[in-house]
Amino acid sequence: MWLPAIVSAVHLTCLALGTAVLLLRARSLAGPLVVEADFKRVLALDNASGIIALLWMGSGFYRAFSTLEKGSAFYTSSPLFWVKMGLLGVGWCFEMPTMLTLLRWRKELATDSLPDTKNVDRLRRLHHFELAAMVGVVFAASLMARGIGRAAPPGAPEVRTGAKIYAQHCATCHQPDGRGMNGKLAADFVGDKTRLAKPDTVLLNSIQNGVPNTAMMAFSSQLNEDERKLVLAYVRETFAGK
Ligand code: HEC
């Protein structure tokens, strides 16, 4: 209860802080880079961005690949999750040159020489691409959280389609609670245990051909064989043993 909320808060906070620190690091690269303190300022911001990146990705992967929240299938089944991971990879590619350059700076400063700054303009421009990739990650994450692009909701997909068919074709008589107004309107799947005690073949036959001289009509023309099986599976799953 608490842990998922905290991990989620850490994840989002890192995003906000990370964006700010990247902007500051880009600005610090714009100079002036003359005395040692100037370089140290860039490196301090680089340290901060490194820590935030670790926390950001750590909390993200923890959420995605532990049982903390929705389970990894929720994420990996969504194409947007892979878009998000792709954008993360792209962001890392843009980060690489800066990371390598600043590592070199650290070494050079340690030997008391001032690093050369010939490629800082390029590094600064790369920051913009990196930020754009991060914005893309945020969009992908928001769309994913709304379930956009997800092929099938988690859980047994058959039961869900059955639920749709039931709502559309059967619920008017059998009612959403399966009781058919205590059997007055239609067979009561909950109260009359003899109904669902019948084997599939019998019940599928009733659904396909109807029950003569009753309101239970034939669905042979409206539902194909698969759909009739799906809706019966839903009826059993939902109302048997209630
Ligand atoms: C117009 C009303 C109506 C609709 C719509 C309807 N039913 Fe029925 N259904 C009935 C009635 C009435 C009975 C009881 C028939 C009887 O006396 O055996 C019944 C009985 C049944 C039975 C039990 C049959 C048996 O052999 O005992 C099943 C299973 C069933 N319905 C499934 C469905 C499904 C699935 C749908 C939707 C695809 C559906 N019904 C739609 C009225 C309806």
Side-chain angles (χ1 to χ4, degrees):
M1 172 73 193
W2 276 96
L3 191 61
I6 291 169
V7 174
S8 162
V10 167
H11 193 62
L12 287 174
T13 308
C14 286
L15 179 72
L17 290 176
T19 317
V21 169
L22 270 190
L23 281 169
L24 288 173
R25 197 181 65 179
R27 185 188 283 184
S28 72
L29 279 172
L33 291 169
V34 190
V35 293
E36 192 175 340
D38 299 334
F39 292 94
K40 289 251 164 88
R41 201 171 45 240
V42 179
L43 293 180
L45 288 165
D46 188 51
N47 291 341
S49 71
I51 292 168
I52 292 167
L54 280 180
L55 278 172
W56 186 39
M57 294 198 311
S59 56
F61 283 121
Y62 185 48
R63 289 173 82 193
F65 295 108
S66 73
T67 50
L68 184 64
E69 281 191 41
K70 303 162 186 102
S72 56
F74 171 85
Y75 296 97
T76 52
S77 68
S78 165
L80 279 165
F81 176 76
W82 297 107
V83 170
K84 203 179 152 183
M85 290 301 108
L87 285 167
L88 184 68
V90 169
W92 265 108
C93 293
F94 290 130
E95 168 67 16
M96 267 313 172
T98 308
M99 201 168 100
L100 294 175
T101 304
L102 296 189
L103 275 176
R104 181 168 58 75
W105 284 17
R106 285 174 201 274
K107 280 203 200 108
E108 288 172 2
L109 285 172
T111 60
D112 280 339
S113 52
L114 285 186
D116 78 68
T117 56
K118 61 179 177 342
N119 62 349
V120 285
D121 279 341
R122 191 167 59 89
L123 295 184
R124 205 159 46 78
R125 275 197 301 278
L126 282 178
H127 278 68
H128 299 143
F129 293 110
E130 210 176 315
L131 282 164
M134 275 174 75
V135 171
V137 167
V138 173
F139 270 86
S142 308
L143 294 178
M144 192 173 83
R146 299 288 168 282
I148 292 168
R150 197 172 322 135
E158 317 74 66
V159 174
R160 252 164 235 279
T161 349
K164 240 185 216 165
I165 298 170
Y166 185 85
Q168 205 175 347
H169 295 282
C170 323
T172 39
C173 294
H174 289 279
Q175 299 291 295
D177 66 4
R179 289 174 185 271
M181 300 278 235
N182 290 323
K184 287 202 273 296
L185 214 55
D188 178 354
F189 298 131
V190 182
D192 181 356
K193 301 290 178 205
T194 63
R195 289 293 185 186
L196 296 185
K198 295 181 188 175
D200 277 7
T201 44
V202 173
L203 298 182
L204 283 173
N205 181 57
S206 299
I207 297 170
Q208 181 177 354
N209 303 313
V211 180
N213 306 318
T214 73
M216 180 60 198
M217 52 192 185
F219 283 92
S220 49
S221 59
Q222 292 179 54
L223 302 174
N224 65 31
E225 193 185 337
D226 283 344
E227 289 167 329
R228 296 195 296 266
K229 285 184 179 158
L230 284 175
V231 74
L232 179 61
Y234 170 78
V235 166
R236 284 202 186 284
E237 174 109 348
T238 316
F239 305 123
K242 266 209 173 169

